[in-house]
Amino acid sequence: MATTKKAAETAENTEVSAAETTADTATTVTIEKSQLDKLLGMYDELQTLKKSMPTDSKAEKIKQDKELVKLIEKANKESEELVEYIAPTGSMKSNKNIEVNINGVQYTVPRGVKTNIPRKVAEIIDNSIKQAEFAQGVQDKAAEIAQQAIAEGRI
């Protein structure tokens, strides 16, 4: 057993030589077996990393683009779907109709009348109403703060 252990230690420190001969020069590279094992281990790690890296091939890019196009088409189809809508009547000063322009297409929606309009037009009108209500709330709060400042003599 002692000789086997000693032989293993000797084999571990054995130098590996590689000779390269060309027409002009002769080159000899000498490395220890432990260094060679270390280099081979690093090579294996790099191969494993390479396999785990995502491939960015043209075919996969085309597949992703096609999926994106399908999602966009679905969203456009849903936004073009007709829905029943009753536009709010608004104040007496407001116009009788609500006009919405989307990408050069004008939609005229009568107030207080049930109509079928594309979902995207209804969403735009609803968002516009919410924004107007929010803006009115901000203005009311600013007026309240100003009145308090006047009452306290800060202004």
Side-chain angles (χ1 to χ4, degrees), residues 145-155:
I145 292 171
Q147 285 179 348
Q148 285 178 350
I150 291 171
E152 294 172 1
R154 291 183 288 160
I155 297 180

Side-chain angles (χ1 to χ4, degrees), residues 29-82:
V29 177
T30 306
I31 61 172
E32 293 182 5
K33 184 180 181 318
S34 61
Q35 290 175 321
L36 179 62
D37 291 339
K38 192 175 190 179
L39 288 171
L40 289 173
M42 290 169 59
Y43 177 77
D44 290 340
E45 285 180 35
L46 287 173
Q47 291 300 321
T48 305
L49 280 172
K50 184 178 177 183
K51 288 178 184 176
S52 69
M53 296 289 285
T55 56
D56 192 19
S57 65
K58 289 183 181 179
E60 188 161 324
K61 177 78 171 133
I62 290 171
K63 181 181 175 185
Q64 291 172 350
D65 289 348
K66 286 181 179 179
E67 290 174 1
L68 182 62
V69 167
K70 286 180 183 177
L71 288 173
I72 292 171
E73 287 174 350
K74 181 181 176 187
N76 284 339
K77 189 176 182 179
E78 288 175 359
S79 71
E80 290 294 332
E81 176 185 338
L82 294 178

Side-chain angles (χ1 to χ4, degrees), residues 6-153:
K6 192 169 188 175
E9 289 174 1
T10 308
E12 197 168 309
N13 293 325
T14 305
E15 294 182 349
V16 179
S17 303
E20 180 183 325
T21 307
T22 61
D24 298 334
T25 62
T27 307
T28 303
V29 177
T30 306
I31 61 172
E32 293 182 5
K33 184 180 181 318
S34 61
Q35 290 175 321
L36 179 62
D37 291 339
K38 192 175 190 179
L39 288 171
L40 289 173
M42 290 169 59
Y43 177 77
D44 290 340
E45 285 180 35
L46 287 173
Q47 291 300 321
T48 305
L49 280 172
K50 184 178 177 183
K51 288 178 184 176
S52 69
M53 296 289 285
T55 56
D56 192 19
S57 65
K58 289 183 181 179
E60 188 161 324
K61 177 78 171 133
I62 290 171
K63 181 181 175 185
Q64 291 172 350
D65 289 348
K66 286 181 179 179
E67 290 174 1
L68 182 62
V69 167
K70 286 180 183 177
L71 288 173
I72 292 171
E73 287 174 350
K74 181 181 176 187
N76 284 339
K77 189 176 182 179
E78 288 175 359
S79 71
E80 290 294 332
E81 176 185 338
L82 294 178
V83 296
E84 285 187 356
Y85 188 79
I86 300 174
T89 55
S91 67
M92 297 301 278
K93 293 181 182 178
S94 64
N95 189 1
K96 188 170 182 161
N97 298 322
I98 297 175
E99 294 180 357
V100 178
N101 291 300
I102 303 173
N103 295 329
V105 178
Q106 182 171 354
Y107 299 90
T108 304
V109 182
R111 291 181 182 269
V113 178
K114 185 187 286 189
T115 56
N116 289 325
I117 59 174
R119 180 180 306 279
K120 62 185 176 185
V121 176
E123 289 175 359
I124 289 173
I125 294 170
D126 290 340
N127 288 339
S128 175
I129 291 168
K130 288 177 187 175
Q131 288 176 354
E133 289 171 352
F134 180 78
Q136 186 62 46
V138 170
Q139 287 178 343
D140 292 345
K141 184 68 175 174
E144 182 182 316
I145 292 171
Q147 285 179 348
Q148 285 178 350
I150 291 171
E152 294 172 1

